[in-house]
Amino acid sequence: MSEPLFEIRDLKLHFPIYGGLLRHQIGSVKAVDGVSFDIFKGETLGLVGESGCGKSSCGRGLLRLSEPSSGEVVFDGRQVTALSHKEMRAIRTRMQMVFQDPQASLNPRMTVSEIISEPLNEHANLKRRALIARVCELMDAVGLNRAFLNRYPSSFSGGQRQRIGIARALALNPDFIVCDEPIAALDVSIQAQVVNLLKDLQEQFSLTYLFISHDLSMVRHIADRVAVMYLGKIVELADTELLYQRPSHPYSKALLSAVPGAVASRRADAPREVLKGDLPSPANPPKGCNFCTRCPHVMDICRTTEPELKAVAPGQYSACHLND
Ligand code: SF4
């Protein structure tokens, strides 16, 4: 394992809820509620879980696009959470984000050239000729025809628009990219192309990814390790093949049972483990284990004591009292 690029300790993102006549704070949404993990240089860490479990908030928290409530985020030895806005602006050139919906994340009134050169104009101070040369280089890298330099996003397909977003993210030679559901808005036929492009670019530019997705098959294809999130917490973190072959946490088992053939040790005709009930509100999570309202193995201790994320095998961590 290489050195950690990110060291995240007890990170919390709690968003206040205001109510009443005087708009007092009456509670908070615990979108991310005390997660700790490392992201190693050159790896892809998959982050999976149901919608609303806090995956995107976690990614945004690492880049301080959403301000953490508490906890530590250390990026390449620097405490990101302690940096001023000016220092943060400088370091953010090394960390970028690719968004879910390329349609919404690209300004329809800007040409491809303007979109890709936007971060360069802000941070790189290149002369016109060098700027265009760099934009063309980036278009080549993501497989876009440089003849389309002056076209607008509306004249591209969804997959091509996502390539524009990726080119923009690469413009400043980042070390790290949060890919936030980058294929969720694309046709199935295009999804694999974009994931393969991300893999090629990772190799070419020595990138480190946090790959957020609810598509477990695609995560298996791209991730070296996977963190499973449930209601603001990481319930399992494991090497990808270990997780898919031998998931430990009851929630991971249920998630993976919904993907045919995902878990090698499951018989093809084994019944799917259907999760009962809805995801509880992150404004009012259950006491003890967050999963206790839906877990088929719930015990008394689960309703009072929060389980810690502990090693259950080399390269595999799980937060469940069944491992005690
Ligand atoms: Fe289920 Fe208890 Fe384990 Fe939580 S700690 S996943 S409720 S068995």
Side-chain angles (χ1 to χ4, degrees), residues 249-251 289-292 295-299 302 307 319-322:
H249 195 278
Y251 178 62
C289 172
N290 268 358
F291 192 49
C292 70
C295 180
H297 310 287
V298 61
M299 305 172 284
C302 309
C320 176
H321 290 304
L322 290 171

Side-chain angles (χ1 to χ4, degrees), residues 248-250 253 286-308 310 318-324:
S248 166
H249 195 278
K253 287 180 186 169
K287 198 164 184 281
C289 172
N290 268 358
F291 192 49
C292 70
T293 54
R294 300 169 86 191
C295 180
H297 310 287
V298 61
M299 305 172 284
D300 287 344
I301 188 175
C302 309
R303 296 198 172 90
T304 56
T305 311
E306 186 183 333
E308 276 174 45
K310 287 192 227 162
S318 170
C320 176
H321 290 304
L322 290 171
N323 307 319
D324 293 347

Side-chain angles (χ1 to χ4, degrees), residues 30 50-53 230-232 276-287 289-294:
K30 299 178 174 83
E50 288 163 282
S51 299
C53 71
Y230 183 82
L231 209 60
K276 295 202 180 83
D278 294 326
L279 191 69
S281 163
N284 188 21
K287 198 164 184 281
C289 172
N290 268 358
F291 192 49
C292 70
T293 54
R294 300 169 86 191

